[in-house]
Coordinates of all heavy atoms in Angstrom, one line a residue:
M1 N 192.9 47.7 158.4 CA 192.4 48.6 157.4 C 190.8 48.5 157.5 O 190.3 47.4 157.7 CB 192.9 48.2 156.0 CG 192.4 49.1 154.9 SD 193.1 48.6 153.3 CE 193.2 50.1 152.6
E2 N 190.2 49.5 157.3 CA 188.8 49.6 157.4 C 188.0 48.8 156.4 O 187.0 48.2 156.6 CB 188.4 51.1 157.4 CG 187.0 51.5 157.6 CD 186.9 53.0 157.6 OE1 187.8 53.7 158.2 OE2 185.9 53.5 157.1
L3 N 188.5 48.9 155.1 CA 187.9 48.2 154.0 C 187.8 46.7 154.3 O 186.8 46.1 153.9 CB 188.6 48.5 152.7 CG 188.0 47.9 151.5 CD1 186.6 48.4 151.2 CD2 188.9 48.2 150.3
L4 N 188.8 46.1 154.8 CA 188.8 44.7 155.1 C 187.6 44.3 156.0 O 186.9 43.3 155.8 CB 190.1 44.2 155.7 CG 190.4 42.8 155.9 CD1 190.2 42.0 154.6 CD2 191.8 42.6 156.4
S5 N 187.4 45.0 157.1 CA 186.3 44.7 158.0 C 185.0 45.0 157.3 O 184.0 44.2 157.6 CB 186.5 45.6 159.3 OG 186.4 47.0 159.0
V6 N 184.9 45.9 156.5 CA 183.6 46.2 155.7 C 183.3 45.0 154.8 O 182.2 44.5 154.8 CB 183.7 47.5 154.9 CG1 182.5 47.7 154.0 CG2 183.8 48.7 155.9
I7 N 184.3 44.5 154.1 CA 184.1 43.4 153.2 C 183.7 42.2 154.0 O 182.7 41.5 153.6 CB 185.4 43.1 152.4 CG1 185.7 44.2 151.4 CG2 185.3 41.7 151.7 CD1 187.0 44.1 150.7
R8 N 184.3 41.9 155.1 CA 184.0 40.7 155.9 C 182.5 40.9 156.5 O 181.8 39.9 156.5 CB 184.9 40.6 157.1 CG 186.3 40.0 156.6 CD 187.2 39.8 157.8 NE 188.4 39.3 157.3 CZ 189.6 39.3 158.0 NH1 189.6 39.9 159.2 NH2 190.7 38.8 157.5
R9 N 182.2 42.1 156.9 CA 180.8 42.3 157.5 C 179.8 42.1 156.4 O 178.8 41.4 156.6 CB 180.7 43.7 158.1 CG 179.4 43.9 158.7 CD 179.3 45.3 159.4 NE 179.4 46.4 158.4 CZ 180.4 47.3 158.5 NH1 181.3 47.3 159.5 NH2 180.5 48.2 157.6
W10 N 180.0 42.7 155.2 CA 179.1 42.5 154.1 C 178.9 41.0 153.8 O 177.7 40.6 153.6 CB 179.5 43.3 152.9 CG 179.3 44.7 152.9 CD1 178.5 45.4 153.8 CD2 179.9 45.7 152.0 NE1 178.6 46.8 153.5 CE2 179.4 47.0 152.4 CE3 180.8 45.6 151.0 CZ2 179.8 48.1 151.8 CZ3 181.2 46.8 150.3 CH2 180.7 48.0 150.7
H11 N 179.9 40.3 153.7 CA 179.9 38.9 153.3 C 179.3 38.0 154.4 O 178.4 37.2 154.1 CB 181.2 38.4 152.9 CG 181.2 37.0 152.3 ND1 180.6 36.8 151.0 CD2 181.6 35.8 152.7 CE1 180.7 35.5 150.8 NE2 181.3 34.9 151.8
H12 N 179.7 38.1 155.6 CA 179.3 37.2 156.6 C 178.0 37.6 157.3 O 177.2 36.7 157.5 CB 180.4 37.0 157.7 CG 181.7 36.4 157.1 ND1 181.7 35.1 156.6 CD2 182.9 36.9 156.9 CE1 182.9 34.8 156.2 NE2 183.7 35.9 156.4
R13 N 177.9 38.8 157.7 CA 176.7 39.3 158.4 C 175.5 39.6 157.5 O 174.4 39.2 157.7 CB 177.0 40.5 159.3 CG 175.9 40.8 160.3 CD 176.2 42.0 161.1 NE 176.1 43.2 160.2 CZ 176.4 44.4 160.6 NH1 177.0 44.6 161.8 NH2 176.3 45.4 159.8
D14 N 175.8 40.4 156.5 CA 174.8 40.9 155.6 C 174.5 39.9 154.4 O 173.6 40.2 153.6 CB 175.1 42.3 155.0 CG 175.3 43.3 156.1 OD1 174.7 43.1 157.2 OD2 175.9 44.3 155.9
R15 N 175.3 38.9 154.3 CA 175.1 37.9 153.2 C 175.1 38.5 151.8 O 174.4 38.0 151.0 CB 173.9 37.1 153.4 CG 173.7 36.4 154.8 CD 174.6 35.2 154.8 NE 174.4 34.5 156.1 CZ 175.2 33.7 156.6 NH1 176.4 33.5 156.1 NH2 175.0 33.1 157.8
I16 N 176.0 39.4 151.6 CA 176.1 40.1 150.3 C 177.0 39.2 149.4 O 178.1 38.8 149.9 CB 176.6 41.5 150.4 CG1 175.6 42.4 151.1 CG2 176.9 42.1 149.0 CD1 176.0 43.8 151.4
P17 N 176.6 38.8 148.2 CA 177.5 38.0 147.4 C 178.8 38.7 147.0 O 178.9 40.0 147.0 CB 176.7 37.7 146.1 CG 175.3 38.3 146.4 CD 175.4 39.1 147.6
I18 N 179.8 37.9 146.7 CA 181.1 38.5 146.3 C 181.0 39.4 145.1 O 181.7 40.4 145.0 CB 182.1 37.3 146.1 CG1 182.4 36.7 147.4 CG2 183.4 37.8 145.5 CD1 183.3 35.5 147.4
R19 N 180.2 39.0 144.1 CA 180.0 39.9 142.9 C 179.5 41.3 143.3 O 179.9 42.3 142.7 CB 179.1 39.2 141.9 CG 179.8 38.1 141.2 CD 179.0 37.6 140.0 NE 179.7 36.6 139.4 CZ 180.1 36.6 138.1 NH1 179.7 37.5 137.3 NH2 180.7 35.6 137.6
E20 N 178.6 41.3 144.2 CA 178.0 42.6 144.7 C 179.1 43.4 145.4 O 179.2 44.7 145.2 CB 176.8 42.5 145.5 CG 176.2 43.7 146.0 CD 175.7 44.7 144.9 OE1 175.4 44.2 143.8 OE2 175.7 45.9 145.1
I21 N 179.9 42.8 146.2 CA 181.0 43.4 146.9 C 182.0 44.0 145.9 O 182.5 45.1 146.1 CB 181.7 42.5 147.9 CG1 180.7 42.1 149.0 CG2 182.9 43.1 148.5 CD1 181.2 41.0 150.0
E22 N 182.2 43.2 144.8 CA 183.1 43.6 143.8 C 182.6 44.9 143.1 O 183.3 45.8 142.9 CB 183.2 42.5 142.7 CG 184.0 42.9 141.5 CD 183.8 41.9 140.3 OE1 182.9 41.1 140.4 OE2 184.6 42.0 139.4
R23 N 181.3 45.0 142.9 CA 180.7 46.2 142.3 C 180.8 47.4 143.2 O 181.1 48.5 142.8 CB 179.2 45.9 142.0 CG 179.0 45.1 140.7 CD 177.6 45.1 140.3 NE 177.3 43.8 139.6 CZ 176.7 42.8 140.1 NH1 176.2 42.8 141.3 NH2 176.6 41.7 139.4
R24 N 180.6 47.2 144.5 CA 180.6 48.3 145.4 C 182.0 48.8 145.7 O 182.2 50.0 145.9 CB 180.0 47.8 146.8 CG 178.5 47.6 146.7 CD 178.0 47.2 148.1 NE 176.6 46.9 148.0 CZ 175.8 46.7 149.1 NH1 176.4 46.7 150.3 NH2 174.6 46.4 149.0
T25 N 183.0 47.9 145.7 CA 184.4 48.3 146.1 C 185.3 48.6 144.9 O 186.3 49.3 145.1 CB 185.1 47.3 147.0 OG1 185.2 46.1 146.2 CG2 184.3 47.1 148.3
G26 N 185.0 48.0 143.8 CA 185.9 48.1 142.6 C 187.1 47.1 142.7 O 187.9 47.2 141.8
L27 N 187.1 46.3 143.7 CA 188.2 45.3 143.8 C 187.8 44.0 143.0 O 186.6 43.8 142.7 CB 188.4 44.8 145.2 CG 188.8 45.9 146.2 CD1 188.8 45.4 147.6 CD2 190.2 46.4 145.9
S28 N 188.8 43.2 142.6 CA 188.5 42.0 141.8 C 187.9 41.0 142.8 O 188.2 41.0 144.0 CB 189.7 41.5 141.1 OG 190.6 41.0 142.1
R29 N 187.2 40.0 142.2 CA 186.7 38.9 143.0 C 187.8 38.1 143.7 O 187.6 37.6 144.8 CB 185.8 38.0 142.1 CG 184.5 38.6 141.7 CD 183.6 37.6 141.0 NE 184.3 36.9 140.0 CZ 184.1 37.1 138.7 NH1 183.3 38.0 138.2 NH2 184.8 36.4 137.8
N30 N 188.9 37.9 142.9 CA 190.0 37.2 143.5 C 190.6 37.9 144.8 O 190.9 37.2 145.8 CB 191.1 36.9 142.5 CG 190.7 36.0 141.4 OD1 189.8 35.2 141.6 ND2 191.3 36.1 140.3
T31 N 190.7 39.2 144.7 CA 191.2 39.9 145.8 C 190.2 39.8 147.0 O 190.6 39.6 148.1 CB 191.4 41.4 145.4 OG1 192.3 41.5 144.3 CG2 191.9 42.2 146.6
I32 N 188.9 39.9 146.7 CA 187.9 39.8 147.8 C 188.0 38.4 148.4 O 188.0 38.3 149.7 CB 186.5 40.1 147.3 CG1 186.5 41.6 146.8 CG2 185.5 39.8 148.3 CD1 185.3 42.0 146.0
R33 N 188.1 37.4 147.6 CA 188.2 36.0 148.2 C 189.4 35.9 149.0 O 189.4 35.3 150.1 CB 188.2 35.0 147.0 CG 186.9 34.8 146.4 CD 186.9 33.6 145.4 NE 185.6 33.5 144.8 CZ 185.4 33.9 143.5 NH1 186.4 34.3 142.8 NH2 184.2 33.7 143.0
K34 N 190.5 36.5 148.6 CA 191.8 36.4 149.3 C 191.6 37.1 150.7 O 192.1 36.6 151.7 CB 192.9 37.1 148.5 CG 194.3 37.0 149.2 CD 195.3 37.7 148.4 CE 195.2 39.1 148.4 NZ 196.3 39.8 147.7
Y35 N 191.0 38.2 150.7 CA 190.7 39.0 152.0 C 189.8 38.1 152.9 O 190.1 38.1 154.1 CB 190.1 40.3 151.7 CG 191.0 41.3 151.1 CD1 190.5 42.5 150.6 CD2 192.4 41.1 151.0 CE1 191.3 43.5 150.0 CE2 193.2 42.1 150.4 CZ 192.7 43.2 149.9 OH 193.5 44.2 149.4
L36 N 188.8 37.5 152.3 CA 187.9 36.7 153.2 C 188.6 35.5 153.8 O 188.3 35.1 154.9 CB 186.7 36.3 152.4 CG 185.7 37.4 152.0 CD1 184.7 36.9 151.0 CD2 185.1 38.1 153.2
R37 N 189.5 34.9 153.0 CA 190.2 33.7 153.5 C 191.3 34.0 154.5 O 191.6 33.2 155.4 CB 190.9 32.9 152.3 CG 189.9 32.0 151.6 CD 190.7 31.1 150.6 NE 190.1 31.5 149.3 CZ 190.8 31.9 148.3 NH1 192.1 32.0 148.4 NH2 190.3 32.2 147.1
S38 N 191.9 35.1 154.4 CA 193.0 35.5 155.3 C 192.6 35.8 156.7 O 191.4 36.3 156.9 CB 193.8 36.6 154.7 OG 193.1 37.8 154.9
D39 N 193.5 35.6 157.6 CA 193.2 36.0 159.0 C 193.9 37.3 159.4 O 193.9 37.6 160.6 CB 193.7 34.9 159.9 CG 193.0 33.6 159.8 OD1 191.8 33.6 159.4 OD2 193.5 32.5 160.0
A40 N 194.4 38.0 158.4 CA 195.1 39.2 158.6 C 194.1 40.3 159.1 O 193.0 40.3 158.7 CB 195.8 39.7 157.4
V41 N 194.6 41.1 160.0 CA 193.8 42.2 160.5 C 193.8 43.4 159.5 O 192.8 44.1 159.4 CB 194.3 42.7 161.9 CG1 193.5 43.9 162.4 CG2 194.2 41.5 162.9
E42 N 194.9 43.6 158.9 CA 195.0 44.7 158.0 C 195.8 44.2 156.7 O 196.5 43.2 156.7 CB 195.8 45.9 158.5 CG 197.3 45.6 158.8 CD 198.0 46.9 159.3 OE1 197.5 47.4 160.4 OE2 198.9 47.3 158.7
V43 N 195.5 44.8 155.6 CA 196.1 44.4 154.3 C 197.5 45.0 154.2 O 197.7 46.2 154.6 CB 195.2 45.0 153.2 CG1 195.8 44.6 151.8 CG2 193.8 44.5 153.3
R44 N 198.4 44.2 153.8 CA 199.8 44.6 153.6 C 200.1 44.6 152.1 O 199.9 43.6 151.5 CB 200.8 43.7 154.4 CG 200.6 43.8 155.8 CD 201.8 43.3 156.6 NE 201.5 43.4 158.0 CZ 202.3 44.0 158.8 NH1 203.4 44.5 158.4 NH2 202.0 44.1 160.1
F45 N 200.7 45.7 151.7 CA 201.1 45.8 150.3 C 202.6 45.6 150.1 O 203.3 46.0 151.0 CB 200.6 47.2 149.7 CG 199.2 47.4 149.8 CD1 198.6 48.1 150.8 CD2 198.4 46.8 148.8 CE1 197.2 48.3 150.8 CE2 197.0 47.0 148.8 CZ 196.4 47.8 149.9
K46 N 203.0 45.1 149.0 CA 204.4 44.9 148.7 C 205.0 46.3 148.4 O 204.4 47.1 147.8 CB 204.6 44.0 147.5 CG 204.2 42.6 147.7 CD 204.5 41.8 146.5 CE 204.0 40.4 146.7 NZ 204.2 39.5 145.5
V47 N 206.2 46.5 148.9 CA 206.9 47.8 148.7 C 207.6 47.7 147.4 O 208.4 46.7 147.2 CB 207.9 48.0 149.9 CG1 208.7 49.3 149.7 CG2 207.2 48.0 151.2
P48 N 207.4 48.6 146.5 CA 208.1 48.6 145.2 C 209.6 48.7 145.4 O 210.1 49.4 146.3 CB 207.5 49.7 144.5 CG 207.0 50.7 145.5 CD 206.6 49.8 146.7
Q49 N 210.4 48.2 144.5 CA 211.8 48.3 144.6 C 212.2 49.8 144.2 O 211.6 50.4 143.3 CB 212.5 47.4 143.5 CG 212.4 46.0 144.0 CD 213.2 45.1 143.0 OE1 213.5 45.5 141.9 NE2 213.6 43.9 143.4
R50 N 213.1 50.2 145.0 CA 213.6 51.6 144.9 C 214.9 51.6 144.1 O 215.6 50.6 144.1 CB 213.7 52.3 146.2 CG 212.4 52.5 146.9 CD 212.6 53.3 148.2 NE 211.3 53.6 148.7 CZ 210.5 52.8 149.5 NH1 211.0 51.6 149.7 NH2 209.4 53.2 149.9
P51 N 215.2 52.7 143.4 CA 216.4 52.7 142.6 C 217.6 52.7 143.6 O 217.6 53.2 144.7 CB 216.4 54.0 141.8 CG 215.3 54.8 142.5 CD 214.4 53.9 143.2
S52 N 218.7 52.1 143.1 CA 219.9 52.0 143.9 C 220.6 53.3 143.9 O 220.4 54.2 143.0 CB 220.8 50.9 143.2 OG 222.1 51.0 143.8
R53 N 221.4 53.6 144.9 CA 222.2 54.8 145.0 C 223.3 54.8 143.9 O 223.8 55.9 143.6 CB 222.8 55.0 146.4 CG 221.8 55.3 147.4 CD 222.5 55.6 148.7 NE 221.5 56.2 149.6 CZ 221.9 56.7 150.8 NH1 223.1 56.6 151.2 NH2 221.0 57.2 151.6
L54 N 223.6 53.6 143.4 CA 224.7 53.6 142.4 C 224.1 53.8 141.0 O 224.9 53.9 140.0 CB 225.4 52.2 142.5 CG 226.1 51.9 143.8 CD1 226.7 50.5 143.8 CD2 227.2 53.0 144.0
D55 N 222.8 53.8 140.8 CA 222.3 54.0 139.5 C 222.8 55.2 138.7 O 223.1 55.1 137.5 CB 220.7 54.1 139.5 CG 220.1 52.7 139.7 OD1 220.8 51.7 139.6 OD2 218.9 52.6 140.0
P56 N 223.0 56.4 139.3 CA 223.6 57.5 138.6 C 225.0 57.2 138.1 O 225.4 57.8 137.1 CB 223.6 58.7 139.6 CG 222.6 58.3 140.6 CD 222.6 56.8 140.7
F57 N 225.7 56.3 138.7 CA 227.1 56.0 138.4 C 227.3 54.7 137.6 O 228.4 54.3 137.4 CB 228.0 56.0 139.6 CG 227.8 57.2 140.5 CD1 227.0 57.0 141.7 CD2 228.3 58.4 140.2 CE1 226.8 58.1 142.5 CE2 228.1 59.5 141.0 CZ 227.3 59.4 142.2
A58 N 226.2 54.1 137.2 CA 226.2 52.8 136.6 C 227.0 52.8 135.3 O 227.8 51.9 135.0 CB 224.8 52.2 136.3
D59 N 226.8 53.8 134.5 CA 227.6 53.9 133.2 C 229.1 54.0 133.4 O 229.9 53.3 132.8 CB 227.1 55.1 132.4 CG 225.6 54.9 132.0 OD1 225.4 54.2 131.0 OD2 224.8 55.4 132.7
K60 N 229.5 54.8 134.4 CA 230.9 55.0 134.6 C 231.5 53.7 135.2 O 232.6 53.3 134.8 CB 231.1 56.1 135.6 CG 232.5 56.5 135.9 CD 233.1 57.1 134.6 CE 234.5 57.7 134.9 NZ 235.1 58.2 133.7
L61 N 230.8 53.0 136.1 CA 231.2 51.8 136.7 C 231.4 50.7 135.7 O 232.3 49.9 135.6 CB 230.3 51.3 137.9 CG 230.3 52.2 139.1 CD1 229.2 51.8 140.0 CD2 231.7 52.1 139.8
S62 N 230.4 50.6 134.8 CA 230.4 49.6 133.7 C 231.6 49.9 132.8 O 232.3 48.9 132.3 CB 229.1 49.7 132.9 OG 228.1 49.3 133.7
E63 N 231.9 51.1 132.5 CA 233.0 51.5 131.7 C 234.3 51.1 132.3 O 235.2 50.5 131.7 CB 233.0 53.0 131.4 CG 234.1 53.5 130.6 CD 234.1 53.0 129.2 OE1 233.0 52.7 128.7 OE2 235.2 52.9 128.6
W64 N 234.5 51.3 133.6 CA 235.7 50.9 134.4 C 235.9 49.4 134.3 O 237.0 48.9 134.1 CB 235.6 51.4 135.8 CG 235.8 52.9 136.0 CD1 236.3 53.8 135.1 CD2 235.5 53.6 137.2 NE1 236.4 55.0 135.6 CE2 235.9 55.0 136.9 CE3 235.1 53.3 138.4 CZ2 235.8 56.0 137.8 CZ3 234.9 54.3 139.4 CH2 235.3 55.7 139.1
L65 N 234.8 48.7 134.5 CA 234.9 47.2 134.5 C 235.2 46.7 133.1 O 236.0 45.8 133.0 CB 233.5 46.6 135.0 CG 233.2 46.7 136.4 CD1 231.8 46.2 136.7 CD2 234.2 45.9 137.3
R66 N 234.7 47.3 132.1 CA 235.0 47.0 130.7 C 236.5 47.2 130.4 O 237.2 46.4 129.8 CB 234.2 47.7 129.7 CG 234.3 47.2 128.3 CD 233.4 48.0 127.3 NE 233.7 49.4 127.3 CZ 234.8 49.9 126.7 NH1 235.6 49.1 126.0 NH2 235.0 51.2 126.7
V67 N 237.0 48.3 130.9 CA 238.4 48.7 130.7 C 239.3 47.7 131.4 O 240.3 47.2 130.9 CB 238.7 50.1 131.1 CG1 240.2 50.4 131.1 CG2 238.0 51.1 130.2
E68 N 239.0 47.4 132.6 CA 239.8 46.5 133.5 C 239.8 45.0 132.9 O 240.7 44.3 133.1 CB 239.3 46.5 134.9 CG 239.6 47.7 135.7 CD 241.1 48.0 135.8 OE1 241.9 47.0 136.1 OE2 241.5 49.1 135.6
A69 N 238.7 44.6 132.2 CA 238.6 43.3 131.7 C 239.5 43.2 130.5 O 240.1 42.3 130.2 CB 237.2 42.9 131.4

């Protein structure tokens, strides 16, 4: 990701403090520190959980299980 290289360049080459990088990017200081410590080339985001295919039928399945119990 391009932003990661910009953050590293500002901090290491241009000697810009983390607080100034925070103001310029809008990222939190903790996130910037995490990016500076990591050796990752690009940032990876967690994939949100997607709904199950059974969600539309959850009520009916629950009803069947209740009846069988």
Side-chain angles (χ1 to χ4, degrees):
M1 182 178 214
E2 187 175 317
L3 181 61
L4 186 57
S5 62
V6 170
I7 290 172
R8 286 182 178 162
R9 183 177 63 238
W10 282 345
H11 185 71
H12 296 297
R13 190 183 73 188
D14 299 340
R15 304 283 186 208
I16 295 176
I18 291 175
R19 285 190 179 235
E20 179 60 27
I21 296 172
E22 175 192 15
R23 284 188 207 105
R24 290 182 183 188
T25 61
L27 298 172
S28 72
R29 289 187 310 255
N30 292 336
T31 303
I32 293 169
R33 284 188 185 106
K34 181 178 73 172
Y35 289 169
L36 291 172
R37 276 189 242 122
S38 74
D39 293 332
V41 176
E42 68 180 55
V43 180
R44 295 199 179 233
F45 298 99
K46 292 181 181 177
V47 178
Q49 287 186 340
R50 293 188 171 82
S52 170
R53 288 186 168 188
L54 295 177
D55 282 348
F57 310 104
D59 295 277
K60 187 67 171 175
L61 292 170
S62 297
E63 179 65 27
W64 287 346
L65 288 172
R66 189 181 59 76
V67 169
E68 290 296 319

